Amino acid sequence: MNKLKVIAFDADDTLWVNEPYFQEVEKKFCEMMEDYHPQHTISRELLKIEIANLSLYGYGVKGYILSMIEAALHISGKTLSIEAIQKILELGKEMLEKPIELLDGVEEVLQQLQGKYRLVVATKGDLLDQERKLKKSGLEKYFHHIEIMSDKQESDYQKLIRHLDIAPEEFMMIGNSLKSDVLPVLTLGGIGVHVPYHTTWAHETVEHKVEHENFYQFTHANEVLAIL
């Protein structure tokens, strides 16, 4: 790790809790719509519409709200009441107002790494929402740079690495998603650290086993300190 200069952290479900809030709202949405279809059918339809809309709305709560409304209109045969649409909007606002719950040990890890490496947040999502969460988290002071990305493909990481004026081998990415946080960085020649979270969005799952000399997997963020 002698060449390492920058350590980047994903935000949602790496620094703080996120996915359980989406799952909680999805459950309420499915219960709300179960007069039309079984809950598992509604959940599948919502996921399909959500993924189809990613290129239009990107990642985050606001896009999710729009996808829920679209799914509800489709499931109901466009007979959805104004009151039901209002309820969906309220569910979205509840998500946006959730308190920030830091994952165990995250701040201690940042404290130990600060000053030794440049620390970066590299996360997907809505700009306003992610900036709000970062401020509310109290973690903003630890980071040299904040990158809120529309997606996390190889090209997005290339752009970030160029902006940081480093080589790929000087870059480490820590996150809970193999698909978004680890695999693109490994392909570029960087170091990928996977810290799984107990719930993962279906769109982010990877079925195959990852084997790579620059790949590490830990059960807790503080375990990364042992390799630095």
Side-chain angles (χ1 to χ4, degrees):
M1 299 288 178
N2 291 339
K3 291 183 177 179
L4 188 62
K5 291 182 179 177
V6 173
I7 300 177
F9 289 81
D10 175 48
D12 294 334
D13 298 317
T14 298
L15 297 177
W16 52 68
V17 173
N18 181 65
E19 181 59 22
Y21 298 148
F22 279 85
Q23 294 190 354
E24 181 184 310
V25 166
E26 182 180 323
K27 187 173 185 298
K28 290 179 181 177
F29 174 75
C30 291
E31 288 170 354
M32 189 177 111
M33 300 299 296
E34 66 182 348
D35 285 348
Y36 298 97
H37 290 294
Q39 290 191 27
H40 67 273
T41 304
I42 295 165
S43 181
R44 190 168 61 241
E45 186 65 27
L46 175 58
L47 178 63
K48 186 170 77 175
I49 288 171
E50 199 181 350
I51 291 170
N53 284 337
L54 284 176
S55 61
L56 293 172
Y57 305 146
Y59 297 83
V61 174
K62 293 172 190 171
Y64 187 60
I65 297 167
L66 290 171
S67 291
M68 278 197 291
I69 292 171
E70 183 179 340
L73 287 168
H74 178 72
I75 290 162
S76 68
K78 297 185 180 177
T79 62
L80 196 68
S81 68
I82 295 297
E83 289 77 19
I85 292 174
Q86 180 65 38
K87 178 61 179 172
I88 292 170
L89 292 172
E90 287 170 6
L91 288 174
K93 286 180 180 177
E94 282 175 23
M95 290 177 74
L96 290 169
E97 291 165 0
K98 286 282 187 185
I100 302 304
E101 184 183 342
L102 296 182
L103 295 185
D104 287 344
V106 160
E107 186 158 17
E108 291 82 353
V109 170
L110 295 174
Q111 286 170 347
Q112 292 205 44
L113 295 176
Q114 191 181 35
K116 298 175 184 175
Y117 303 94
R118 278 189 283 164
L119 303 182
V120 167
V121 172
T123 188
K124 289 188 293 195
D126 176 76
L127 177 64
L128 186 63
D129 189 30
Q130 294 296 60
E131 286 181 339
R132 177 190 59 82
K133 286 195 282 190
L134 190 59
K135 282 178 184 170
K136 284 175 74 174
S137 74
L139 300 179
E140 194 174 17
K141 60 192 175 191
Y142 295 107
F143 294 104
H144 162 82
H145 177 72
I146 313 298
E147 188 80 9
I148 298 170
M149 305 151 90
S150 58
D151 205 350
K152 283 183 170 179
Q153 305 290 334
E154 286 174 44
S155 58
D156 301 294
Y157 283 106
Q158 276 181 324
K159 181 181 172 185
L160 173 59
I161 288 167
R162 279 199 303 270
H163 177 78
L164 294 167
D165 195 25
I166 56 170
E169 59 268 25
E170 297 170 323
F171 180 80
M172 173 186 282
M173 180 71 197
I174 300 173
N176 68 298
S177 170
L178 285 170
K179 182 178 178 182
S180 292
D181 301 321
V182 173
L183 295 179
V185 172
L186 293 177
T187 302
L188 290 171
I191 302 159
V193 177
H194 185 220
V195 183
Y197 190 61
H198 62 83
T199 58
T200 302
W201 185 33
H203 185 58
E204 293 290 343
T205 55
V206 170
E207 300 300 329
H208 66 275
K209 186 178 179 183
V210 179
E211 293 186 3
H212 193 285
E213 62 181 357
N214 287 345
F215 173 66
Y216 298 87
Q217 183 164 293
F218 301 120
T219 56
H220 195 283
N222 64 12
E223 293 174 51
V224 76
L225 298 173
I227 65 169
L228 296 173

